Amino acid sequence: MIIIGCDYHPGFQQIASVDNETGELKEQRLGHPESAEKFNRELAGQGRSIRVGMEASGHARWFERLLAELNIELRIGDAAKISAKRVSKRRTDRLDAQPILKLLLKDDFPQIWVPSGENRDLRQLLWHRHRMVQARTRIMNQLQAVALNEGVRCKKKLWREKGRKQLEAFRLAPWASRRREDLLKLLDGVNPTIAELTQALDQEVEKSAAAGRLMTHPGVGPLTALAFVLIIGTAERFKCGKQIAAYIGLVPLEDSSGERRRLGHITKQGSSMLRFLLVEAAQVAARSIPQWRNQYFHLAMRRGRKIAKVAMARKLAVRLFWMMRQGWDYEQLKKFGSNVGQPGHRDGVKSNTE
């Protein structure tokens, strides 16, 4: 077997490889994509077993597809854990590839879960719709500013037929008029796109039984439910709700030593989109569930509204995790896990239901 440690960059990769049969060690720098593709195709043509290890990267989709096509085993590792295992304080591309190779040889490589190609493609649907909605919001805010500058404050009524005519009737200076015209064209163009993406999203949710069950929880809509299912993947990967909160980035930073304990803001690790959706959904849930409403206002008075929102989002994430893991809908959650978030119950689920 040929084992390769790869330090991946967007424009090139530094590799360190060992042939188990001969013990030969090689180091090489490969440009993207031509040199890397040529090297791996020639290697795969030898008919040998090949294993490649690399840190998780956000710009390596083409490389992963190439290795899958060539039947080369790829292991993707946790970058933070790989970095923690480095002994030398010096960092170069060459010195980064060597520790990855050593971890592979010792069978101590911190491999992470990698979603399937279908999962990744569906995430692109979620991200695309999310970004389109954000773009529409920015356009609408600019048009609201145009109306406010003309002394008109009608909020949502601006987007009705009467409000639109009023907006178009303002007598503006030439460039201000051009800006209004362009913004209205952009708004008219983005609305059909969002409607089409929403329809595709609803169709995907209908195919997912897990997402359908999550949607029975108050405040959880199709986008939040499908995003949770896709990003969490399989609930069995996590042992408890604390791990889910840490995975999403809803736990505080901690810098503790000895008797000193210091907590900071939340880590914000994981998917920023899922965190945003959970915070939005938790606010709706807090308005729908009396007990949550009381907890939210109590926290808001003690710690502030921002901290209260994040706390409720974490609570919602734990609930959705147990619904997903146990295959429950909201009514079953209330029946078997009615004390979610209460003291004396691990992650809010009674011990007899775990």
Side-chain angles (χ1 to χ4, degrees):
M1 174 180 282
I2 299 174
I3 301 177
I4 302 174
C6 174
D7 180 40
Y8 186 93
H9 295 268
F12 68 93
Q13 57 183 267
Q14 179 73 32
I15 64 170
S17 63
V18 165
D19 189 329
N20 277 352
E21 293 183 1
T22 63
E24 182 183 7
L25 172 66
K26 292 182 179 180
E27 293 181 329
Q28 193 171 350
R29 180 177 172 129
L30 304 172
H32 291 164
E34 292 83 3
S35 297
E37 182 172 354
K38 180 181 178 182
F39 173 83
N40 284 283
R41 289 191 181 279
E42 290 177 354
L43 207 60
Q46 298 178 13
R48 303 276 304 279
S49 297
I50 306 167
R51 178 180 298 161
V52 177
M54 59 180 283
E55 296 179 351
S57 173
H59 308 283
R61 199 69 51 83
W62 71 272
F63 186 58
E64 295 174 29
R65 288 198 301 266
L66 173 65
L67 297 190
E69 176 190 341
L70 299 176
N71 292 319
I72 295 176
E73 180 187 355
L74 174 63
R75 295 188 178 184
I76 300 178
D78 188 320
K81 291 182 179 179
I82 292 174
S83 180
K85 293 176 182 292
R86 290 193 182 98
V87 178
S88 174
K89 292 185 178 181
R90 297 176 59 219
R91 283 206 63 181
T92 65
D93 296 328
R94 183 168 170 264
L95 293 177
D96 283 348
Q98 291 174 359
I100 296 175
L101 176 60
K102 291 177 182 177
L103 291 173
L104 288 168
L105 292 172
K106 292 191 298 182
D107 201 19
D108 192 27
F109 188 73
Q111 189 172 358
I112 61 173
W113 174 77
V114 178
S116 65
E118 182 183 4
N119 183 309
R120 287 180 170 183
D121 192 48
L122 285 177
R123 291 188 190 192
Q124 294 300 312
L125 167 63
L126 301 184
W127 268 113
H128 187 36
R129 185 190 178 280
H130 183 58
R131 293 304 189 195
M132 288 294 102
V133 171
Q134 288 181 328
R136 180 176 65 180
T137 301
R138 287 192 290 269
I139 294 169
M140 293 170 72
N141 287 343
Q142 292 181 68
L143 290 170
Q144 285 282 5
V146 171
L148 287 172
N149 282 325
E150 297 304 313
V152 176
R153 184 174 182 268
C154 49
K155 298 183 179 180
K156 293 182 180 180
K157 293 180 181 179
L158 187 65
W159 314 121
R160 298 175 185 173
E161 183 178 356
K162 183 179 178 181
R164 174 71 177 253
K165 289 181 179 179
Q166 189 176 12
L167 178 62
E168 293 175 341
F170 292 144
R171 298 182 62 182
L172 303 176
W175 283 112
S177 178
R178 170 65 182 273
R179 181 188 178 209
R180 175 187 57 188
E181 181 183 347
D182 289 347
L183 288 172
L184 288 172
K185 286 181 180 178
L186 289 172
L187 183 62
D188 292 339
V190 78
N191 279 328
T193 300
I194 293 175
E196 182 182 352
L197 295 173
T198 301
Q199 184 179 3
L201 174 67
D202 291 337
Q203 292 174 355
E204 294 299 332
V205 169
E206 290 178 1
K207 300 176 185 177
S208 173
R213 288 192 295 268
L214 296 186
M215 285 177 59
T216 60
H217 193 289
V220 179
L223 181 58
T224 305
L226 188 59
F228 194 87
V229 170
L230 292 177
I231 292 170
I232 298 305
T234 56
E236 290 71 20
R237 295 195 296 130
F238 305 93
K239 296 180 180 179
C240 61
K242 288 183 180 179
Q243 292 184 354
I244 281 287
Y247 185 75
I248 301 173
L250 292 173
V251 296
L253 290 164
E254 184 170 1
D255 182 15
S256 302
S257 180
E259 297 180 357
R260 179 181 62 84
R261 189 181 186 212
R262 182 178 179 182
L263 299 177
H265 298 292
I266 59 172
T267 62
K268 294 188 178 181
Q269 292 178 318
S271 172
S272 59
M273 178 179 65
L274 182 56
R275 276 196 310 278
F276 172 84
L277 294 174
L278 287 171
V279 170
E280 295 293 308
Q283 293 178 73
V284 178
R287 293 194 294 268
S288 307
I289 307 172
Q291 183 183 4
W292 281 43
R293 187 184 307 117
N294 295 337
Q295 291 180 2
Y296 173 76
F297 283 116
H298 181 67
L299 275 170
M301 292 178 65
R302 286 180 53 240
R303 305 294 303 279
R305 296 174 68 89
K306 292 183 179 180
I307 292 178
K309 290 177 184 179
V310 172
M312 301 311 291
R314 172 174 173 165
K315 181 173 181 175
L316 178 62
V318 173
R319 274 196 166 197
L320 296 182
F321 162 67
W322 284 111
M323 289 174 65
M324 185 175 170
R325 179 165 175 170
Q326 303 288 357
W328 290 340
D329 58 21
Y330 181 61
E331 293 301 322
Q332 290 173 309
L333 176 72
K334 290 196 296 183
K335 180 179 179 181
F336 298 115
S338 58
N339 292 318
V340 169
Q342 299 299 319
H345 298 267
R346 198 183 79 183
D347 298 315
V349 177
K350 296 178 181 178
S351 58
N352 61 352
T353 63
E354 292 182 348

